[in-house]
Amino acid sequence: MNFFDMRWDIIWNYREIFLHGIWVTISLTICGYLGGLILGILLGLGKTSKRKWIYWPAKLYVDLFRGTPMLVQILIIHLALIPSIFGQSYGFMVSGIITLILNSGAYIAEIMRAGIESIDKGQMEAARSLGLTKNKAMIKVILPQAFRRMIPPLGNELIALLKDSSLVTVIAANDILYASKVVAGASFRIWEPYIAAAVLYLILTFVLTKIIAFIEKRFSNNFNPRKKNNGKKGHSQSKDEGRVAA
């Protein structure tokens, strides 16, 4: 097939499949990320704990899920783990979300650990000297400071998870990549469906990048929100300066 002989009308004819694939991709990503964020916070706190019975299970979990491919995790959870526990499979959505939660939780745990450990130890000592318990000092003093530093890597993890969600197509998840495979098989065209899938992923990642950049700027130390009625204040200030000069 000639690269320049494109038939983009095929994509328009199968637009409903691609729109459904976008919805599935976004749903998998959001559910997997939110669940992974909660799990990652718990595991990150566990990896900073001095209690060995908390530290070692968290460390082993993180090493296991970071050291094995997500594709293998998807197949084990969908074909073996869930059927063994519940006696049946509950579809690609359940298996995909569980896998994304478990996988992203391991990576977010390392982000949490690094963010917490980047805060000077004197912050905890100062909070404890003011009468705060260790847990309250962690919640009210350490985590708010660490969160600012964790925004960029947490955003990168969200973008990576969006792209990694395409692996769920191996268990027949009708996401964007699956839609392109269906269209390619039905139309016997290769370039158009997969280029469309790449463009859709690019658009989604671009939107996420802009949102993350806004959040990062909003929580940065140099952020100064625009004050309302700047014109009125500037006018009154000029009057005051005129009075002083007079």
Side-chain angles (χ1 to χ4, degrees):
M1 184 182 68
N2 188 356
F3 175 79
F4 299 98
D5 185 22
M6 293 293 186
R7 289 188 53 194
W8 297 111
D9 59 300
I10 295 175
I11 306 302
W12 177 253
N13 294 335
Y14 289 94
R15 61 188 179 277
E16 294 183 359
I17 298 178
F18 281 103
L19 290 175
H20 183 70
I22 294 172
W23 169 251
V24 172
T25 298
I26 293 175
S27 300
L28 286 170
T29 303
I30 293 177
C31 293
Y33 186 77
L34 293 178
L37 187 62
I38 296 173
L39 179 61
I41 291 173
L42 298 176
L43 291 171
L45 293 174
K47 289 205 66 178
T48 60
S49 177
K50 295 182 180 180
R51 299 176 182 178
K52 293 183 179 181
W53 63 274
I54 297 178
Y55 170 80
W56 282 108
K59 176 176 171 51
L60 291 175
Y61 178 93
V62 171
D63 291 344
L64 175 64
F65 277 89
R66 291 187 66 188
T68 55
M70 183 185 289
L71 182 60
V72 177
Q73 298 168 12
I74 292 171
L75 294 174
I76 291 177
I77 291 174
H78 181 71
L79 300 177
L81 184 61
I82 292 180
S84 299
I85 296 176
F86 300 102
Q88 61 178 345
S89 176
Y90 287 95
F92 72 86
M93 186 63 77
V94 174
S95 301
I97 290 175
I98 291 176
T99 306
L100 293 177
I101 288 174
L102 297 178
N103 185 275
S104 64
Y107 287 91
I108 293 175
E110 281 298 296
I111 296 174
M112 289 293 300
R113 178 198 60 78
I116 293 172
E117 292 181 351
S118 67
I119 304 300
D120 189 82
K121 294 182 179 179
Q123 296 287 330
M124 175 63 75
E125 296 174 356
R128 296 296 301 276
S129 65
L130 294 175
L132 295 177
T133 63
K134 186 175 182 180
N135 292 334
K136 288 185 177 180
M138 178 64 71
I139 295 173
K140 294 183 178 182
V141 178
I142 304 300
L143 288 180
Q145 298 181 68
F147 177 73
R148 295 176 181 269
R149 303 181 182 183
M150 290 187 292
I151 291 177
L154 286 176
N156 291 336
E157 173 59 23
L158 176 59
I159 294 174
L161 194 67
L162 171 66
K163 294 182 289 185
D164 290 342
S165 66
S166 61
L167 295 174
V168 184
T169 191
V170 74
I171 56 176
N174 49 359
D175 61 345
I176 294 175
L177 183 59
Y178 183 82
S180 64
K181 291 172 63 177
V182 171
V183 174
S187 63
F188 300 101
R189 307 283 293 188
I190 302 299
W191 283 102
E192 295 89 340
Y194 288 105
I195 289 178
V199 170
L200 290 175
Y201 278 112
L202 181 62
I203 293 173
L204 291 176
T205 54
F206 178 79
V207 172
L208 282 180
T209 301
K210 292 300 181 181
I211 294 174
I212 294 166
F214 172 78
I215 295 174
E216 183 179 353
K217 181 179 179 181
R218 177 64 179 80
F219 285 94
S220 66
N221 294 327
N222 297 326
F223 177 76
N224 291 320
R226 294 180 179 178
K227 296 181 180 180
K228 297 181 179 180
N229 302 323
N230 285 336
K232 295 181 179 179
K233 290 184 178 179
H235 183 65
S236 61
Q237 184 177 0
S238 62
K239 285 185 177 179
D240 293 338
E241 293 176 352
R243 292 174 183 174
V244 172

